[in-house]
Amino acid sequence: MGQDNKAKASNTTAPQSSETNTEAPSAIVRNLGLIKAMAIIMAILIVAALAVIIVTIYSRLTAANSAKTIQQNELVIPADSRITGASLGAKGQMLVIVEDKTGQQLWQLDASGKIQRKTRIAPQR
């Protein structure tokens, strides 16, 4: 009985299977580096897309503020004339009828208020 309590001096080894692990690694393990690289590239693209969206929103907000500025134009007509009619056309153009002693004139103005053409309407004599 004295020897039963003592540790056995014999060499013990872990059981080994008769099969060796010769299986090829799975596709995920083989391409792990490629998967990591693709994940990093996708993260960079997401950050770039967010930056583009933020810049676009900012530029549209600042452009909306600049569009609200008021334009002031001055149209000088001769002293003995008066405007008898005016109408707006497409794209902000304007047609003004100016009347003076000699007859009427049609003034065509562009959207910025500059005179493009003057047409005099005179009675036949």
Side-chain angles (χ1 to χ4, degrees):
M1 281 205 159
Q3 291 186 4
D4 288 335
N5 290 336
K6 291 183 181 178
K8 294 186 180 181
S10 65
N11 290 338
T12 57
T13 59
Q16 296 188 9
S17 65
S18 60
E19 299 177 10
T20 58
N21 193 2
T22 59
E23 294 179 17
S26 68
I28 293 176
V29 173
R30 281 187 307 209
N31 297 319
L32 195 57
L34 179 64
I35 293 170
K36 287 179 182 179
M38 288 175 62
I40 291 170
I41 291 171
M42 287 174 57
I44 292 170
L45 289 175
I46 289 171
V47 170
L50 285 174
V52 167
I53 290 170
I54 290 170
V55 168
T56 302
I57 290 171
Y58 178 75
S59 66
R60 288 187 182 179
L61 287 175
T62 57
N65 290 339
S66 65
K68 293 179 183 179
T69 59
I70 298 173
Q71 282 187 337
Q72 289 185 330
N73 296 324
E74 186 173 316
L75 180 63
V76 179
I77 60 171
D80 61 341
S81 302
R82 64 186 181 113
I83 295 177
T84 58
S87 65
L88 288 173
K91 300 180 184 173
Q93 297 171 338
M94 183 182 268
L95 182 65
V96 178
I97 301 172
V98 179
E99 189 173 333
D100 60 4
K101 294 177 185 176
T102 60
Q104 291 182 334
Q105 292 182 26
L106 292 175
W107 291 7
Q108 292 177 338
L109 301 134
D110 63 1
S112 65
K114 295 180 183 175
I115 298 173
Q116 297 296 314
R117 180 181 298 161
K118 289 182 180 181
T119 306
R120 175 164 294 283
I121 302 169
Q124 186 177 11
R125 294 180 190 204

